[in-house]
Structures are given as C-alpha cells and as structure tokens.
C-alpha cells in the first residue's frame, strides 16, 4: 500500500510523464475503497499539493485539473458535497486557463 502512495510523488518529483503520475494517484485512491475514502482524500491532497509547484507549459495543468476532478468524485462518494464542489470549481478554473473557455472539454466539465 505504501508503494502506491509513493509512486505518484516520485513520478512528479522526477519531472517525467505527468499523466503516469496521475494514473498512479488514481490507482492509489481506488485502492482505498469502502471505509478508507478519507485516506484516499489524503492521497489526492498530497498529489495536488505536489503539483502546486506548477510547471507551466509541461502538461501539469491538465494533470492538476484531473487530480481535482478525481478529488471531487471522492468527496462526493463520502458525502462531502461542499468540498466536492470546491474541487470541481478549482479544477474548472485550471482547465479554462490551460485550454481556453471555448474548448469543448470545458463545456463538458461545466455540464
């Protein structure tokens, strides 16, 4: 279990494939099924905080967006709708900045 928590952090720290880091973070969050959603929230918090060092232009913006969307889903599953909405709003803001508000995928996120 500790390995799943370490993979996203190590992948981001290496500066390599941000999408792979997101994949690792999602796998880690899914491994915390059932009553362990709160632990998954902590994993996603750490993942997003690693991305706060914003490597603009290297694809990390969309990875951060995806992390917030995964966070939104996890909060929703544990009934913390206020936090879920905050994560959605944060992710949407990042997506708009990265893609432009007229991008089709932004409309899908708004939906």
């Amino acid at each position: 279990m500790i390995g799943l928590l370490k993979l996203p952090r190590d992948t981001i720290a290496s500066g390599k494939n941000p999408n792979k880091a997101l994949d690792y973070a999602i796998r880690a969050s899914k491994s915390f099924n059932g009553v362990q959603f709160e632990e998954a929230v902590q994993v996603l918090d750490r993942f997003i905080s690693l991305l706060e060092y914003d490597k603009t232009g290297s694809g990390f913006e969309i990875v951060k967006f995806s992390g917030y969307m995964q966070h939104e889903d996890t909060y929703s599953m544990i009934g913390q709708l206020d936090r879920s909405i905050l994560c959605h709003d944060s992710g949407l803001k990042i997506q708009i900045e990265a893609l432009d508000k007229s991008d089709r995928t932004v409309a899908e996120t708004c939906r």
Side-chain angles (χ1 to χ4, degrees):
M1 190 69 70
I2 297 298
L4 283 176
L5 299 175
K6 197 171 182 280
L7 280 171
R9 183 193 65 200
D10 291 349
T11 304
I12 288 294
S14 74
K16 295 182 182 172
N17 192 343
N19 292 323
K20 192 66 170 172
L22 176 62
D23 180 52
Y24 290 143
I26 290 169
R27 277 198 238 165
S29 71
K30 287 179 180 178
S31 71
F32 294 112
N33 281 332
V35 296
Q36 295 179 340
F37 278 118
E38 280 145 26
E39 290 178 51
V41 167
Q42 292 172 3
V43 170
L44 288 164
D45 280 341
R46 281 182 265 165
F47 174 73
I48 290 170
S49 71
L50 289 171
L51 293 172
E52 292 302 322
Y53 295 103
D54 196 29
K55 300 177 187 215
T56 304
S58 61
F60 282 86
E61 298 88 356
I62 295 302
V63 173
K64 192 187 302 185
F65 157 75
S66 297
Y68 273 110
M69 294 298 104
Q70 184 68 36
H71 216 10
E72 170 196 3
D73 291 342
T74 304
Y75 274 130
S76 179
M77 286 186 241
I78 60 174
Q80 294 185 16
L81 299 181
D82 289 345
R83 289 184 177 187
S84 177
I85 291 168
L86 289 173
C87 288
H88 178 85
D89 290 347
S90 296
L92 179 60
K93 180 181 175 188
I94 291 166
Q95 187 185 40
I96 288 170
E97 289 172 5
L99 298 178
D100 188 63
K101 64 182 175 184
S102 63
D103 190 282
R104 184 181 111 227
T105 56
V106 172
E108 290 172 15
T109 301
C110 290
R111 184 177 46 92

